[in-house]
């Protein structure tokens, strides 16, 4: 009898693991978490008890367990590459939190090893699989805004120390707003518009130190970025990413086309409605308002937007979607949507931000990927 449920081993029992453990098994039935590990064994045992995981253990024991078909890595960025390679060399498929690694050389090694040994490596973020981002893609693929022209994306806020209980690592190598939050925005953009061709970026650091709860943390990375992107399709884009700002009215993501604009849900939180304004709607509303050109700049112009409904509630149990999609691919022999090629491409783009900022030169991408298949709901 063919296996219909895959055993998963979770590495990293810290703050974020619960987001996965509440869906892998209870929501996504093709997975059963059979083991968990952490450098703190007491923490692994506590998580195992809370989520009814039968085998809290060391990472070495987890990787040697024949019941573990694939590994879910939920640790800090610097450990993603060594843990992924350790799992691959143990013959396990891998689903890893973002970013894939912290150098392009590491991502290339992961992809080359996995391809050579017929193993899957898939990566967060999987939020682009959610109904919200998938509906935006359908709006564009159906031609509702004409030919896409440009995309704008923004994550602008006061820093991880305002929301993360242990944010120190986000001010070290592998952290910062680009490596931490950038994957949500660029992965959604690439999944909708295709691969990136060229990047130009400016960056700086707003604070040399951050006051984090009861201690001070040195800031080792830039924390305020503004970049321009050129996609292979010809679409141009801009993105602002900051841990130094306070608050902003800038949109999380919107895409302009020759015949309209689509206002998108936030690629990270998935909050917000999907709305479309077409060129014809704007033209007619301008005539009807008798306000002439000034109507284009008024707040009332947004009132004509058409809300686009999603097939299921946006943001519904989205953590774990990528792991469940990979499990289906392992069982069915199909292609995962959170592909390692796309993860490598996005990681290269993220690393390019700092390269551009330091050299003052545009960065030409060396990797590419295919747009993932759309999700059917």
């Amino acid at each position: 009898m063919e296996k219909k449920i895959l055993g998963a081993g979770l590495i990293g029992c810290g703050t974020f693991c619960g987001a996965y453990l509440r869906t892998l098994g209870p929501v996504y039935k093709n997975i059963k978490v059979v083991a968990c590990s952490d450098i703190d064994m007491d923490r692994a045992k506590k998580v195992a008890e809370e989520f009814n995981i039968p085998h809290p253990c060391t990472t070495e024991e987890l990787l040697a367990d024949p019941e573990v078909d694939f590994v879910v890595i939920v640790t800090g960025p610097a450990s993603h590459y060594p843990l992924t390679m350790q799992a691959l060399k143990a013959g396990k498929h891998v689903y890893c939190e973002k970013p894939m690694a912290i150098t392009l050389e590491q991502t290339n090694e992961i992809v080359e090893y996995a391809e050579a040994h017929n193993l899957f490596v898939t990566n967060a973020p999987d939020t682009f699989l959610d109904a919200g981002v998938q509906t935006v893609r359908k709006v564009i693929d159906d031609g509702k805004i004409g030919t896409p022209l440009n995309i704008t994306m923004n994550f602008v806020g006061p820093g991880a120390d305002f929301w993360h209980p242990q944010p120190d690592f986000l001010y070290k190598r592998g952290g910062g707003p680009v490596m931490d939050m950038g994957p949500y925005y660029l992965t959604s953009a690439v999944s909708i518009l295709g691969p990136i061709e060229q990047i130009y970026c400016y960056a700086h650091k707003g604070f040399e130190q951050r006051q984090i709860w009861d201690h001070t943390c040195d800031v080792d990375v830039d924390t305020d970025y503004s970049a321009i992107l050129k996609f292979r399709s010809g679409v141009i884009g801009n993105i602002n990413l900051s841990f130094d700002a306070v608050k902003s009215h800038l949109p999380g993501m919107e895409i302009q086309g020759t015949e309209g604009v689509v206002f998108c849900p936030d690629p990270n939180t998935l909050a917000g409605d999907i709305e479309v304004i077409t060129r014809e709607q704007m033209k007619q509303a301008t005539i009807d308002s008798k306000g002439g050109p000034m109507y284009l700049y008024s707040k009332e112009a947004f009132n004509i937007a058409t809300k686009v409904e999603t097939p299921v509630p946006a943001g519904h149990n989205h953590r774990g979607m990528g792991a469940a999609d990979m499990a289906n691919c392992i069982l069915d022999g199909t292609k995962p949507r959170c592909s390692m090629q796309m993860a490598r491409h996005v990681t290269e783009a993220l690393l390019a931000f700092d390269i551009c900022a330091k050299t003052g030169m545009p960065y030409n991408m060396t990797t590419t990927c295919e747009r993932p298949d759309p999700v059917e709901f």
Side-chain angles (χ1 to χ4, degrees):
M1 183 176 177
E2 289 188 5
K3 201 169 188 180
K4 296 188 181 299
I5 299 176
L6 294 184
L10 182 133
I11 301 176
C13 297
T15 305
F16 197 58
C17 73
Y20 284 96
L21 294 174
R22 282 187 283 273
T23 62
L24 299 183
V27 175
Y28 301 111
K29 306 293 186 181
N30 58 353
I31 296 170
K32 178 177 174 58
V33 180
V34 296
C36 64
S37 73
D38 195 272
I39 55 173
D40 182 340
M41 184 55 72
D42 288 337
R43 190 159 58 185
K45 290 177 180 177
K46 183 178 179 181
V47 166
E49 182 178 358
E50 180 181 356
F51 291 97
N52 196 29
I53 300 169
H55 190 197
C57 57
T58 67
T59 296
E60 289 71 24
E61 290 170 333
L62 183 149
L63 294 176
D65 188 341
E67 295 299 312
V68 173
D69 298 299
F70 76 95
V71 173
V72 178
I73 298 173
V74 193
T75 60
S79 64
H80 291 175
Y81 161 74
L83 286 173
T84 296
M85 290 304 301
Q86 191 178 352
L88 290 174
K89 289 177 181 179
K92 309 297 185 184
H93 305 283
V94 177
Y95 180 89
C96 184
E97 255 301 324
K98 46 77 183 171
M100 187 180 207
I102 58 174
T103 72
L104 181 57
E105 291 74 20
Q106 291 175 348
T107 66
N108 285 334
E109 187 178 346
I110 288 169
V111 171
E112 289 164 9
Y113 189 94
E115 288 178 338
H117 293 82
N118 296 314
L119 293 167
F120 286 119
V121 176
T122 60
N123 278 82
D126 55 6
T127 46
F128 76 93
L129 299 175
D130 184 80
V133 179
Q134 289 294 309
T135 299
V136 171
R137 172 171 170 169
K138 189 172 190 313
V139 164
I140 291 171
D141 288 352
D142 288 350
K144 292 185 179 179
I145 65 165
T147 302
L149 296 170
N150 62 70
I151 179 171
T152 184
M153 299 165 283
N154 299 283
F155 177 86
V156 180
D161 40 305
F162 277 69
W163 54 267
H164 198 290
Q166 296 176 309
D168 296 58
F169 74 98
L170 292 172
Y171 293 104
K172 307 299 179 183
R173 190 181 181 208
V178 168
M179 299 305 283
D180 182 45
M181 301 307 301
Y184 296 104
Y185 294 81
L186 292 195
T187 303
S188 289
V190 169
S191 75
I192 294 169
L193 300 170
I196 299 164
E197 183 176 280
Q198 190 178 71
I199 295 173
Y200 195 84
C201 180
Y202 290 102
H204 59 185
K205 186 192 305 182
F207 302 90
E208 292 295 333
Q209 292 185 321
R210 304 293 293 233
Q211 184 63 42
I212 297 179
W213 312 123
D214 61 349
H215 67 281
T216 300
C217 173
D218 289 336
V219 179
D220 297 340
V221 294
D222 283 339
T223 43
D224 190 78
Y225 292 78
S226 184
I228 302 295
L229 314 174
K230 180 184 177 185
F231 291 79
R232 289 185 185 273
S233 63
V235 173
I236 57 175
N238 66 83
I239 181 168
N240 298 296
L241 296 159
S242 181
F243 278 173
D244 295 337
V246 177
K247 190 68 177 170
S248 173
H249 281 301
L250 293 168
M253 185 168 79
E254 67 179 50
I255 303 171
Q256 300 279 348
T258 54
E259 300 302 325
V261 56
V262 55
F263 303 109
C264 312
D266 185 276
N268 171 29
T269 66
L270 302 171
D273 293 330
I274 302 165
E275 295 182 325
V276 171
I277 299 177
T278 66
R279 181 175 294 275
E280 285 304 312
Q281 278 179 295
M282 181 63 78
K283 183 184 294 183
Q284 189 58 52
T286 303
I287 293 168
D288 293 345
S289 73
K290 298 180 182 179
M294 290 307 297
Y295 180 79
L296 298 172
Y297 305 102
S298 70
K299 290 183 179 180
E300 288 74 19
F302 290 97
N303 295 338
I304 64 172
T306 301
K307 184 176 177 180
V308 182
E309 298 295 338
T310 58
V312 299
H316 182 66
N317 289 324
H318 63 275
R319 297 297 180 191
M321 289 185 296
D325 180 72
M326 182 181 75
N328 278 336
C329 293
I330 295 168
L331 292 168
D332 302 338
T334 51
K335 189 167 57 176
R337 292 177 173 88
C338 298
S339 73
M340 56 188 168
Q341 290 81 11
M342 184 166 71
R344 175 174 60 178
H345 183 69
V346 168
T347 302
E348 182 186 15
L350 298 170
L351 293 168
F353 282 43
D354 278 325
I355 295 171
C356 289
K358 287 177 172 59
T359 64
M361 298 293 291
Y363 181 92
N364 296 311
M365 295 287 289
T366 64
T367 65
T368 190
C369 63
E370 296 178 0
R371 282 206 312 165
D373 291 338
V375 178
E376 295 182 7
F377 292 93

